[in-house]
Amino acid sequence: MLLPLKIHFLNLGAQWLGATEAALGMGMLTGALWGAARVIHWQGRFSATRSATLTLALGICATAFSDRGWMLVISFGLTGFALSVSQLVGQTHRQLAVPDHFRARFSSVNFMAMTLSGILGPALAGIALGILDINTVYAAFGSGLFLVAMTFSRILDIRTFLALDHHEVKNWYATQRPKLFL
């Protein structure tokens, strides 16, 4: 929602909107095909996820300070790659950690959270745009994501959880909190 406003704010043509959205998609595709696996192998799951979230925050903040089309393209390409890394680590591990008989419920809760995010995010952006300019809104969202990334290590047992291999993480939640899955 914010990207077309940023493109308009910079008085750029529609081709920059297409190029920027294509860069986001190419970044995600690059991450999904080979980049995420390499980053995870190089840094480990925990560090890769934290680095990817920090990179997302940086990409969003960079968008706030971008004043050229090519800067937006680079920023969104980087953001797409980082998004791919964070999603590939988190989604796979969390799905495997849920006991089989709770997977449908877990998926429903994830879908509900994504739906709420899809509602609340644009609503917050719209309210903020009524008060602030587009660059400040991008900077605020990027700063918020930076704060989330900085608190990532505070999640209980996250390092242990992400250090487990896929076969070790299966049903991990049930072994850690068995009363929740009765």
Side-chain angles (χ1 to χ4, degrees), residues 69-91:
W70 64 267
M71 295 169 83
L72 290 174
V73 170
I74 291 171
S75 153
F76 270 73
L78 185 65
T79 299
F81 184 85
L83 188 60
S84 181
V85 171
S86 68
Q87 288 301 301
L88 286 173
V89 171
Q91 291 294 348

Side-chain angles (χ1 to χ4, degrees), residues 4 6 9 11 16 20 46 60 65-66 69 78 85 90 98 112 116 121 124 133 136 141 145 154 156 170 173:
K6 177 70 177 187
F9 177 80
N11 293 318
W16 286 107
T20 305
F46 175 80
I60 293 170
F65 301 110
S66 298
L78 185 65
V85 171
V98 174
M112 180 192 65
L116 285 174
L124 286 173
D133 71 2
T136 307
F141 273 76
L145 190 53
R154 299 284 213 192
L156 186 64
K170 186 135 173 69
Y173 291 152

Side-chain angles (χ1 to χ4, degrees), residues 62-179:
T63 300
F65 301 110
S66 298
D67 61 352
R68 304 266 188 273
W70 64 267
M71 295 169 83
L72 290 174
V73 170
I74 291 171
S75 153
F76 270 73
L78 185 65
T79 299
F81 184 85
L83 188 60
S84 181
V85 171
S86 68
Q87 288 301 301
L88 286 173
V89 171
Q91 291 294 348
T92 303
H93 247 50
R94 284 195 311 269
Q95 281 290 345
L96 290 172
V98 174
D100 291 338
H101 66 285
F102 267 75
R103 289 221 174 110
R105 292 179 195 173
F106 185 76
S107 294
S108 296
V109 170
N110 274 343
F111 183 72
M112 180 192 65
M114 287 175 31
T115 302
L116 285 174
S117 300
I119 294 167
L120 294 176
L124 286 173
I127 292 167
L129 284 169
I131 303 166
L132 307 166
D133 71 2
I134 188 70
N135 293 332
T136 307
V137 173
Y138 263 110
F141 273 76
S143 298
L145 190 53
F146 179 78
L147 291 174
V148 168
M150 296 310 295
T151 61
F152 181 66
S153 61
R154 299 284 213 192
I155 298 171
L156 186 64
D157 295 329
I158 191 69
R159 289 178 192 262
T160 303
F161 175 67
L162 291 176
L164 298 172
D165 286 329
H166 290 313
H167 67 279
E168 295 173 316
V169 80
K170 186 135 173 69
N171 294 322
W172 190 78
Y173 291 152
T175 62
Q176 298 299 306
R177 306 283 188 274
K179 291 180 182 178

